[in-house]
Amino acid sequence: MPNQLSTQTVSTQTPSSFLTLTVAPGKIIRGSGVLQTASAEITRLGTRPLIIAGNSTQEIAQNNLQAILTKGNTAQSSYGVDCCEASLKALKKTAQEHQADVIIGIGGGKALDTAKLVADQLHLPVVTIPTSAATCAAWTALSNVYSESGAFLYDVALSRCPDLLILDYDLIQTAPQRTLVAGIGDAIAKWYEASVSSGNSQQTLIISAVQQARVLRDILLQKSATALKEPGSEVWQEVVDATVLLAGVIGGMGGAQCRTVAAHAVHNGLTHISGHSSIHGEKVAYGILVQLRLEEMLQSNQLAASARQQLLKFYAEIGLPKNLSDLGLGNITLQELQTAAEIALEPKSDIHRLPFKVALEQLMAAMVSTTAPTDSRDVINRVSTRGMSEEVSE
């Protein structure tokens, strides 16, 4: 029998403000083979679904949603290659023409982000069915919007989390192992970002979110290597739960300030120079090292230095990128590096949740020194653009 969890939105009210947190999906169904038996749950939400999938997951949708497709009131459409404005506009029109009363997103993070945002714009319920464990997009009330070439543009806070999340381990297991590795990188960032932005908070739910992030980190550090060697095993399922579900809990409980800081800001900058050459969690994992390097360089933070060295060993063990070369950016030019850093430092960037200011040259220096030894003496005021020329091409 699949495990079922039913959760509700949590809100807190103070005398001076009213805060609504979109904490969790309305219902979660998880287990092996649950997708084949979940059609009744979906039809409770609507009888004229629009299924949104990626180009590579259209066949997966056909094979796994037969019980819904055979009823004849279903439309199916691809979001293309990104959750972008053109796709959103076209899919919204398709949904209206079909008179859809529920949106089903099946695929990776971008397919799910697209489905959630289309549903939110049309005020329709949404079902998320992840086909990999690469992100927690199946859980969250958030969609990231990109350009058609894969450059991050902005994110949209949605009115609620998905109405139904179906996590089928058998389906997740069909995804390339690289996606789970990337999901580990994306999820483990929650601790390094939440602890630095919110570690001193006195708010009950934020304290809870930060502690959950610590638990998430420990699970991933302890179990990831074994899980990757034993796909489908109990420990593998625990790591999948951590990347898809627990990572989403942290953003839901702690809100935006617990979700993203410098690691995700660096990811956003990199999308403007790397396009689709690496996937979300890989860029975020590299971004964690950049954030720790900044703490190390600008605050002489020895805990950050130790954490970076610990992560470098962990990354080497499971295959996460440690530097720009590992991201396929070994030939990055100085101008490209500056472009990525400038975007990461834009006024509305999450990097400004760091408890210290970061200058452009400081971020660039951190980006090219993620594997530096802990006893390195290249303090930022001695790192010049000329000194970076050994790491990047002019």
Side-chain angles (χ1 to χ4, degrees), residues 1-2 5 21 29 32 37 41 67 152-153 211 223 227 277 289 339 361:
M1 291 291 290
L5 308 174
L21 295 175
I29 301 174
S32 295
T37 59
E41 291 291 341
F152 174 84
L153 298 179
Q211 291 306 308
K223 298 184 177 183
S277 64
L289 299 177
T339 296
E361 65 274 11

Side-chain angles (χ1 to χ4, degrees), residues 73-359:
N73 294 324
T74 303
Q76 186 171 339
S77 188
S78 171
Y79 75 94
V81 294
D82 257 303
C83 179
C84 63
E85 292 174 348
S87 293
L88 290 163
K89 182 178 180 181
L91 288 166
K92 185 176 177 181
K93 182 180 179 183
T94 299
Q96 291 170 324
E97 290 174 347
H98 177 61
Q99 297 182 323
D101 57 5
V102 61
I103 304 295
I104 302 172
I106 179 168
K110 291 184 178 181
L112 303 183
D113 276 1
T114 304
K116 290 186 298 181
L117 188 47
V118 169
D120 192 74
Q121 291 173 343
L122 295 175
H123 308 290
L124 295 176
V126 62
V127 179
T128 53
I129 306 171
T131 57
S132 78
T135 73
C136 58
W139 181 287
T140 61
L142 186 76
S143 288
N144 292 319
V145 180
Y146 295 79
S147 72
E148 293 181 49
S149 61
F152 174 84
L153 298 179
Y154 55 89
D155 57 39
V156 181
L158 308 176
S159 60
R160 66 182 188 276
C161 292
D163 299 88
L164 174 63
L165 188 168
I166 303 171
L167 177 60
D168 190 320
Y169 297 126
D170 293 347
L171 182 57
I172 298 293
Q173 196 176 344
T174 65
Q177 182 162 276
R178 178 188 180 189
T179 59
L180 178 54
V181 172
I184 292 165
D186 188 35
I188 205 168
K190 294 291 186 288
W191 163 253
Y192 299 94
E193 294 187 298
S195 61
V196 76
S197 69
S198 308
N200 294 322
S201 175
Q202 298 301 307
Q203 296 182 46
T204 300
L205 292 181
I206 292 179
I207 292 170
S208 175
V210 173
Q211 291 306 308
Q212 291 281 5
R214 180 183 56 78
V215 170
L216 175 59
R217 177 204 63 185
D218 291 348
I219 289 171
L220 295 176
L221 288 176
Q222 293 166 13
K223 298 184 177 183
S224 292
T226 301
L228 293 168
K229 293 173 185 175
E230 302 174 4
S233 66
E234 184 176 336
V235 70
W236 177 88
Q237 291 181 5
E238 291 167 359
V239 170
V240 169
D241 283 352
T243 62
V244 179
L245 307 180
L246 183 53
V249 171
I250 293 157
M253 292 288 287
Q257 68 195 72
C258 280
R259 268 197 297 266
T260 57
V261 188
H264 278 78
V266 169
H267 159 276
N268 296 343
L270 289 175
T271 62
H272 287 255
I273 62 171
S274 65
H276 300 102
S277 64
S278 56
I279 54 182
H280 175 83
E282 293 170 339
K283 297 186 190 77
V284 172
Y286 161 80
I288 301 170
L289 299 177
V290 175
Q291 177 178 306
L292 291 170
R293 188 76 179 115
L294 287 169
E295 295 176 62
E296 198 178 336
M297 293 163 59
L298 304 186
Q299 294 191 307
S300 298
N301 187 327
Q302 292 306 303
L303 287 177
S306 297
R308 183 171 61 86
Q309 293 303 318
Q310 180 187 35
L311 284 183
L312 286 171
K313 292 177 182 177
F314 177 64
Y315 286 12
E317 185 177 17
I318 69 169
L320 281 170
K322 303 183 292 297
N323 52 36
L324 290 167
S325 293
D326 291 345
L327 287 170
L329 295 170
N331 294 321
I332 187 174
T333 66
L334 194 59
Q335 183 56 54
E336 288 172 329
L337 182 69
Q338 182 171 331
T339 296
E342 286 174 344
I343 291 165
L345 287 168
E346 286 182 342
K348 293 184 179 180
S349 171
D350 295 324
I351 200 170
H352 301 302
R353 291 194 174 107
L354 287 171
F356 51 86
K357 293 187 180 300
V358 179

Side-chain angles (χ1 to χ4, degrees), residues 51-64 76 78-79 106-108 111 131:
I51 299 173
I52 296 175
N55 293 331
S56 61
T57 50
Q58 293 271 19
E59 186 177 348
I60 293 173
Q62 290 280 348
N63 293 338
N64 288 277
Q76 186 171 339
S78 171
Y79 75 94
I106 179 168
T131 57

